[in-house]
Each structure stands twice: as structure tokens, then as C-alpha cells.
Amino acid sequence: MIKDIEIREAILDDLPEITSIFRDTVRAINSRDYSETQIEIWSSGADDTEIWEERINNLYFIVAEYRNEIVGFAHVTKGCHLDGIYVHKNYQRRTIGSKLLRIVESQIMAEGYEVINADSSITSVDFFDSHYFEQIKKQKKSYKGKGFAYSIFSKEL
């Protein structure tokens, strides 16, 4: 467990660290549940800088910092949909994801929502289970022409 984690809203200057965490985490952590082709396609999303800039500028987007290094991030769409939560590959299972989730849940409640929804990769199912989310259904979606299995989760706040 890491104690000195600072959570703050993301700014555009964070973009290189955010996209690096995204790419590296997908390649190192999600590779145990997805094919090499799927991982290459998924991690290439880090190169879509316009999308990342739009997320930072228009969504509730937070980062976790430890010793002046970004070690995780989360962002919310549609008011109550956790669209992404990623933790640096070297900081997995050290409460960073849990802290990001608590802040996101607080923000969602402050905006008057009573439920949080999330799409989950196969890899993060245990994380959502351990945080009292209910798995609603399993699905597949297409991203850049390749199918990806994922689950839809929901939790009452």
C-alpha cells in the first residue's frame, strides 16, 4: 500500500504520462487475457492524442501522483459512467485504483447520481467484484476491426 498518493484533475501537460501508462498497462497487464493482435490494437489507442485531449478537456478526468510521477488515472463520461481506470504497470495492487475509484464515486454522487456504471476488460473483473460492483452482462465489442470481450458492471452508491 502506498500512502502519499495525491489525486488531482488532469491537465493537458499530463498527456504523455497518461498515454504511456495506458499503453504500458495494456501491454504488460492485459496481455494475459487478450491475444497479441488485440493488445497491439488496444494499446495503439494511446496514439489517438486528439481523443485523449478531448477527454482531459471535457470529462471528469483525474490522475494519481506519487512522488511527482503519475501512477494512475480515471475518467468519467455521461455523468456516471466510469469510462477508464488505469494504474501504472509497476504500481498494480497497491490501492491506487481503489483511491481513484473512491474519488470518482464521490464526484458522481456529488453530481446527484445514485449509480455508477463501468465497462470492464476481462483483466479487471476481479477489481470491480472486490469493490461491490454487480456484473450486469458479458459482451463483445469491435475496436479497429477486432472483437474484444468485456463486461458491463453497475453499483448503487
Side-chain angles (χ1 to χ4, degrees), residues 140-151:
K140 277 197 172 186
K141 66 179 166 183
S142 179
Y143 180 66
K144 295 185 178 184
K146 189 73 175 169
F148 289 83
Y150 73 103
S151 295

Side-chain angles (χ1 to χ4, degrees), residues 1-2 7 12 23-24 29 44 60-62 64 74 78-79 81 86 92 94 98 110 118 121-122 126 137 153:
M1 174 160 72
I2 300 175
I7 307 290
L12 288 177
R23 180 183 295 107
D24 294 348
I29 306 301
S44 74
Y60 180 70
F61 196 124
I62 56 174
K78 301 175 189 166
H81 185 86
Y86 288 85
Q92 297 280 311
R94 296 170 78 182
S98 297
S121 68
I122 297 167
D126 288 343
K137 63 181 170 178
F153 281 87

Side-chain angles (χ1 to χ4, degrees), residues 10-61:
I11 59 173
L12 288 177
D13 288 347
D14 298 329
L15 190 57
E17 284 182 276
I18 288 168
T19 55
S20 178
I21 288 170
F22 176 83
R23 180 183 295 107
D24 294 348
T25 301
V26 168
R27 288 181 178 169
I29 306 301
N30 298 95
S31 61
R32 65 179 175 237
D33 296 309
Y34 293 90
S35 72
E36 188 174 319
T37 302
Q38 287 172 312
I39 293 301
E40 283 307 308
I41 290 169
W42 187 0
S43 66
S44 74
D47 300 327
D48 298 332
T49 55
E50 286 181 14
I51 291 171
W52 289 101
E53 288 175 5
E54 183 178 319
R55 288 174 179 156
I56 291 169
N57 285 329
N58 299 314
L59 302 179
Y60 180 70
F61 196 124

Side-chain angles (χ1 to χ4, degrees), residues 107-148:
Q107 177 67 23
I108 289 171
M109 286 188 296
E111 291 182 11
Y113 295 95
E114 297 177 359
V115 173
I116 180 174
N117 299 305
D119 295 345
S120 164
S121 68
I122 297 167
T123 311
S124 58
V125 166
D126 288 343
F127 173 81
F128 287 103
D129 279 343
S130 71
H131 289 86
Y132 308 104
F133 279 77
E134 179 183 350
Q135 188 173 24
I136 304 300
K137 63 181 170 178
K138 295 180 182 181
Q139 290 191 179
K140 277 197 172 186
K141 66 179 166 183
S142 179
Y143 180 66
K144 295 185 178 184
K146 189 73 175 169
F148 289 83

